[in-house]
Amino acid sequence: IWTFSAMSACQNVMWLIGEGMQAVSNIQHRIMCSAHACRMSLLESMPPWMGGGEMIQDVFLDHSTYAEPPARFEAGTPSIAEAIGLGAACDYLSSIGMDKVHAYEQEIGGYLYDKLASVNKVTMYGPPPTAKRGRASLVSFNVGGLHATDVSTLLDASGVAVRSGHHCTQPLHRYLGIGASARASCYIYNTQHDVDLFTDALKETIDFFAQMGME
């Protein structure tokens, strides 16, 4: 749900980046805030990376000066709608309880893994749910002899939405020796019935390509 990363030079943490993706919010929202431990002199020496409202201080014909950090790095209208949506998503998840969210993710993710493992010609990537660190409630997979995009297109025609492509991990796909993969993801709004519909549609997709001589 959340991914956090920190960029540091020695022990001077400069930025903490939080990204609210798929946190039941329909719009992706990224947050960047300067850590209290950062060296303000470094931030003041950094030029702005984008031009726009509120990041400027004074404008002359031959040069401009910029607002103090962090304003100089926040050009234009803030992501107001995204921030409101992210806040609502956080409130919703908090009302459920993140411990319950995690427990359900483990349950539905395990069910998804087991059901997909029973489908012939399917190769799944990543550790099993029984691994020490577990796995997220999603499965990246390929069907032998078929391109992931072809599989996802037919699944879409059956009303099942999966993602296909590199999933922002081209180096990993290169390491695995595959050009692309499909990915089925589950969350708190999915049920075991949804997983059953997905695997049934996948079997029908595989059968369709087999009849077309494309397996």
Side-chain angles (χ1 to χ4, degrees), residues 21-213:
M21 293 185 62
Q22 300 177 351
V24 297
S25 178
N26 61 339
I27 303 177
Q28 180 174 313
H29 184 62
R30 290 183 172 88
I31 307 165
M32 177 177 285
C33 54
S34 57
H36 291 296
C38 71
R39 291 165 56 185
M40 186 57 67
S41 60
L42 290 179
L43 298 180
E44 292 172 342
S45 68
M46 294 171 59
W49 65 280
M50 179 182 290
E54 302 301 325
M55 50 74 64
I56 205 76
Q57 184 173 14
D58 293 303
V59 178
F60 301 90
L61 292 178
D62 58 348
H63 72 282
S64 299
T65 58
Y66 306 110
E68 295 296 319
R72 71 171 58 175
F73 306 114
E74 300 174 353
T77 302
S79 301
I80 300 171
E82 291 87 340
I84 295 173
L86 178 60
C90 290
D91 290 341
Y92 174 67
L93 292 174
S94 296
S95 69
I96 297 174
M98 292 308 297
D99 54 340
K100 294 182 179 179
V101 171
H102 176 72
Y104 187 71
E105 279 191 283
Q106 294 300 300
E107 176 187 340
I108 194 70
Y111 187 78
L112 170 65
Y113 187 93
D114 291 341
K115 289 287 291 188
L116 197 53
S118 68
V119 180
N120 292 331
K121 301 181 181 180
V122 168
T123 298
M124 297 185 293
Y125 306 102
T130 54
K132 183 177 180 180
R133 298 186 64 178
R135 64 176 294 135
S137 57
L138 55 83
V139 178
S140 293
F141 68 95
N142 267 314
V143 177
L146 301 179
H147 194 281
T149 301
D150 293 332
V151 172
S152 67
T153 299
L154 259 69
L155 287 174
D156 178 65
S158 299
V160 176
V162 300
R163 186 179 178 185
S164 63
H166 299 120
H167 319 303
C168 303
T169 59
Q170 277 190 324
L172 176 59
H173 280 70
R174 195 173 297 116
Y175 173 81
L176 294 172
I178 55 178
S181 65
R183 189 181 73 195
S185 306
C186 292
Y187 199 44
I188 55 175
Y189 37 68
N190 291 115
T191 65
Q192 292 187 358
H193 180 61
D194 293 330
V195 176
D196 294 340
L197 292 176
F198 157 61
T199 53
D200 288 345
L202 180 59
K203 292 175 183 177
E204 293 176 359
T205 296
I206 296 172
D207 290 342
F208 171 82
F209 281 114
Q211 294 172 13
M212 298 290 292

